[in-house]
Amino acid sequence: MKTKPLAKLRYCIGCLVALAVAAVSLFPLLWMFLASFKNKQEVLATPLRMLPKQWISTNYEAVLVSTKNPLFHAMLMTFIVAVLGVIFSLLVNMMAAYAFARLDFFGKRLLWVYCLITMYVPGLTILITSYLVVHSLNMINTVWVLLVPGIAGGYNIFFFRQFFLNIPSSLEDAARIDGCGRFRIFWTVFLPLSVTPMVVQGAGIFIGYWNSFMWPSITVTDKSIQQVMPIIRSFQTDYGTEYGRIMAATCLAVIPPIALFAVFQKHIVKGFVLSGLK
Amino acid sequence: MNRPTGARARRYTKMQKRDMRTAYLMLLPAVALLTVFVVAPLVMAISKSFYDWNFYGNSTFVGLENFRVIVVNKSFRRAVLNALKFVAVLVPLQIVLQFAFAHLLKSLSVRFSNAIKTAVYIPGIIAGIVAGIIFMFIFEYKGGLINQMLTSMGLSRIAFLNNGFWAMFSIVVPTIWLGFGGGTILNYAGLISVPAEYYEAASIDGAGAFRKLISITLPQMKNIFVLQCISMVTGTLQMFEVPMMMTNGGPRESTLTPMLYIYNNFKSTGVNMGRTIAGALLIMIFIAILNSFVFTVIRSERSIDG
């Protein structure tokens, strides 16, 4: 009789702690959102106010009309690059994964190790020489430099190969008996079966492109194709402590990833576990 | 009897040939891209590390001189030391926090814990640049949230970004914030995959909650901890965006990271790039040794289990 209320109490405390942690996790984003509607005086004012006295939209207006740092244009450019990146990355890596999972060919083991080793090359080691490579390919200050180097990824190939290995070969055999070629099988059997891992990896690839800062900031100086994170950075340099405006810019910049997360939330969380457990 | 078998074998070979051609075609884009954008830069990095060169001047072969100079370079040593400090703080702290929270969530109802998991995962999709800006705002000296709370409690303000210890602290906090949700979810998945019979058997033997944690949960979670640990070490050694935004390596290089060091050298003219690359290669070797060590441990354990 006595243990039951105690267990219940412990359960409630557990729930409260969990809620508190979630609130602390989300608070910085809420704080950013609220600050974006505060005016210059209020945003760092003492004493502190949680909600803006008056909700103003001038921060957003200022950020969106800025010609020096064209945020909306940068978001559009980044979106295009990221979507193309997702499409090509899925296509290229899934084709390679299919070959490794289902076909026999000379040098398979060697090529497999070759692809896997690329996963262990830290970005830091090849930063400078990657710049030299794209420079010698005349890709500096073009959309290509933003898109192409990120397409192929050892990890993506690894991930899809694991998935393809678990697809029963009977499905494929049926198609082969009907006289389908390997490309047809890849398109008509494997792609439709891979929707979930494609969403998982696709979302990750999109967010990777969207959030990238270092690569675009060293390879692109032309503002008309600049990506969103370097633009956010230059807002911060220009505005200093005018946090209302900076926060308006960051609020806009986090909309696409958060919208994507909202739509594919279940897949993304599940995929994170899959990719983490390997 | 012989003829049909032979014919089948020949036909099989022909199909195999066609499969081989298909395989190479399907692999071509990925292998070509990886070669141009990963392997070629790596090979170039190795060869360029033996030269004294920069983007504007000539290059001269100097042998291993770059490696000799970089290991005694003050800024580089400082950057590596700082990175190791970040590793020493961030890796254990993150693993403990994420595990503890996952453990808590496991004791709650599935629906409730799913909602919480989603909420804590959201910071994981935020860019390091944005996280840096948000926390600069929160740690602002005069009107920032934390300092306002401190002053309202009668305490004095902290100049977070201008003091060695607090500068490190203000980089650690956003980093934990970014990785917390993902790590929690990973730990949670590990926890629920521990077979329930183990706990039941332990209960029958009269084991308490603490005993179960020590003797069942932690050993079962070991591989996850090891994998998490290695990816955290690799990530922490390459920390860039958050430190760049928060402190840009300051004050007096106390939060300079290897990545920031390389980036700054890249941006400044006249610096010997060969030397910078030599440093970057040494870090890669360190990460590779760590990786191979951990994989040997995991593999040897698996083979014992199997």
Side-chain angles (χ1 to χ4, degrees):
Chain A
M1 279 298 271
K2 245 192 169 168
T3 52
K4 222 183 168 192
L6 196 70
K8 221 170 190 175
L9 182 72
R10 277 184 58 178
Y11 187 83
C12 283
I13 292 174
C15 284
L16 286 176
V17 171
L19 276 175
V21 171
V24 169
S25 266
L26 292 178
F27 183 79
L29 294 173
L30 176 71
W31 194 237
M32 161 181 88
F33 178 75
L34 292 173
S36 72
F37 292 100
K38 292 177 179 170
N39 67 32
K40 202 177 159 185
Q41 284 75 40
E42 208 184 350
V43 75
L44 289 170
T46 338
L48 196 82
R49 276 177 59 96
M50 194 59 201
L51 297 173
K53 233 179 227 156
Q54 203 184 351
W55 293 71
I56 56 159
S57 59
T58 45
N59 291 327
Y60 286 92
E61 285 155 25
V63 162
L64 283 170
V65 299
S66 163
T67 45
K68 193 174 163 237
N69 300 309
L71 181 65
F72 184 73
H73 183 76
M75 286 177 70
L76 194 70
M77 286 309 295
T78 315
F79 189 81
I80 294 169
V81 169
V83 168
L84 290 174
V86 171
I87 293 169
F88 284 115
S89 188
L90 288 178
L91 191 68
V92 164
N93 293 319
M94 286 174 80
M95 279 198 318
Y98 175 82
F100 282 126
R102 280 297 200 263
L103 301 174
D104 274 316
F105 51 91
F106 176 74
K108 183 172 176 177
R109 220 190 129 67
L110 190 75
L111 281 169
W112 175 238
V113 171
Y114 186 79
C115 287
L116 282 192
I117 276 179
T118 61
M119 284 194 331
Y120 295 100
V121 179
L124 150 155
T125 306
I126 56 171
L127 178 75
I128 294 169
T129 41
S130 294
Y131 179 87
L132 292 178
V133 167
V134 292
H135 185 82
S136 63
L137 293 170
N138 281 323
M139 285 165 87
I140 298 294
N141 259 332
T142 64
V143 180
W144 306 112
V145 78
L146 300 169
L147 174 66
V148 182
I151 287 176
Y155 177 66
N156 273 299
I157 299 174
F158 177 83
F159 178 90
F160 279 111
R161 177 181 170 266
Q162 294 299 99
F163 182 80
F164 289 158
L165 285 175
N166 289 327
I167 292 178
S169 57
S170 53
L171 284 170
E172 179 173 25
D173 293 341
R176 299 213 72 183
I177 289 163
D178 292 346
C180 280
R182 290 292 187 178
F183 271 107
R184 272 283 296 281
I185 292 172
F186 175 70
W187 274 108
T188 55
V189 180
F190 279 72
L191 279 190
L193 285 171
S194 315
V195 173
T196 306
M198 280 166 77
V199 169
V200 168
Q201 290 299 307
I205 296 163
F206 182 89
I207 290 171
Y209 272 98
W210 188 268
N211 287 348
S212 73
F213 168 77
M214 184 187 285
W215 186 247
S217 76
I218 65 171
T219 55
V220 169
T221 48
D222 181 355
K223 286 261 159 117
S224 68
I225 55 167
Q226 189 52 287
Q227 304 284 283
V228 65
M229 287 307 151
I231 293 284
I232 292 287
R233 162 74 169 152
S234 44
F235 268 122
Q236 190 258 335
T237 342
D238 292 353
Y239 285 145
T241 55
E242 272 188 67
Y243 278 106
R245 291 195 177 176
I246 303 169
M247 293 297 157
T250 53
C251 273
L252 293 170
V254 300
I255 290 173
I258 289 188
L260 189 80
F261 181 74
V263 176
F264 296 117
Q265 183 234 106
K266 276 215 175 92
H267 293 290
I268 295 174
V269 170
K270 209 192 297 163
F272 184 84
V273 172
L274 287 179
S275 57
L277 292 175
K278 289 190 182 170
Chain B
M1 270 314 271
N2 263 341
R3 278 181 66 105
T5 323
R8 208 184 301 149
R10 231 184 350 260
R11 212 174 323 150
Y12 184 72
T13 321
K14 202 172 157 195
M15 214 156 80
Q16 209 174 26
K17 261 186 190 161
R18 208 172 50 201
D19 269 6
M20 262 164 96
R21 214 176 324 126
T22 319
Y24 293 133
L25 270 175
M26 290 179 113
L27 282 168
L28 181 68
V31 171
L33 286 168
L34 288 174
T35 305
V36 174
F37 296 111
V38 184
V39 178
L42 180 64
V43 172
M44 272 171 87
I46 294 168
S47 74
K48 292 266 181 192
S49 68
F50 299 117
Y51 289 85
D52 184 343
W53 64 281
N54 61 52
F55 292 116
Y56 307 94
N58 296 341
S59 81
T60 26
F61 183 81
V62 291
L64 288 169
E65 180 68 9
N66 285 330
F67 290 90
R68 201 188 61 74
V69 174
I70 194 72
V71 293
V72 293
N73 178 290
K74 236 180 112 195
S75 293
F76 181 73
R77 287 178 86 133
R78 194 70 209 257
V80 172
L81 195 72
N82 288 337
L84 293 176
K85 265 196 220 166
F86 276 121
V87 167
V89 175
L90 275 168
V91 175
L93 193 61
Q94 289 193 98
I95 288 184
V96 168
L97 286 176
Q98 293 164 2
F99 172 77
F101 193 57
H103 203 268
L104 170 69
L105 287 182
K106 196 196 148 200
S107 69
L108 307 177
S109 81
V110 173
R111 272 188 64 181
F112 182 74
S113 68
N114 275 344
I116 299 286
K117 272 190 286 177
T118 308
V120 294
Y121 188 73
I122 290 177
I125 58 171
I126 302 295
I129 294 291
V130 173
I133 291 180
I134 296 174
F135 279 88
M136 272 175 87
F137 176 47
I138 288 175
F139 290 136
E140 221 271 340
Y141 183 66
K142 268 197 83 182
L145 180 69
I146 303 291
N147 273 328
Q148 297 242 30
M149 280 163 69
L150 288 175
T151 46
S152 72
M153 287 189 293
L155 300 165
S156 56
R157 288 198 171 90
I158 297 169
F160 281 104
L161 306 177
N162 298 324
N163 166 306
F165 171 79
W166 289 111
M168 211 154 209
F169 173 85
S170 43
I171 291 167
V172 165
V173 172
T175 309
I176 290 179
W177 180 67
L178 288 171
F180 180 72
T184 300
I185 289 168
L186 198 63
N187 275 284
Y188 184 89
L191 281 173
I192 57 169
S193 69
V194 177
E197 301 88 69
Y198 291 8
Y199 293 110
E200 285 156 19
S203 297
I204 292 165
D205 291 346
F210 183 70
R211 191 62 215 259
K212 284 183 207 164
L213 178 73
I214 298 292
S215 312
I216 302 171
T217 316
L218 293 182
Q220 288 284 317
M221 292 286 286
K222 203 162 94 202
N223 275 354
I224 289 187
F225 290 150
V226 170
L227 285 173
Q228 252 192 312
C229 184
I230 191 162
S231 73
M232 279 180 194
V233 172
T234 313
T236 310
L237 288 175
Q238 299 189 70
M239 259 174 42
F240 173 68
E241 289 172 4
V242 173
M244 186 204 71
M245 293 305 289
M246 304 292 293
T247 61
N248 204 9
R252 277 169 284 109
E253 300 195 336
S254 63
T255 55
L256 184 74
T257 65
M259 195 66 151
L260 260 175
Y261 174 76
I262 290 166
Y263 181 77
N264 290 341
N265 278 2
F266 178 85
K267 287 260 162 169
S268 52
T269 51
V271 176
N272 175 1
M273 286 296 156
R275 199 182 295 162
T276 313
I277 290 176
L281 282 170
L282 291 178
I283 292 169
M284 183 182 83
I285 292 167
F286 177 70
I287 293 175
I289 291 172
L290 197 75
N291 268 303
S292 59
F293 176 70
V294 169
F295 281 128
T296 337
V297 171
I298 292 181
R299 194 169 299 160
S300 65
E301 265 179 23
R302 275 199 189 143
S303 58
I304 291 167
D305 288 347

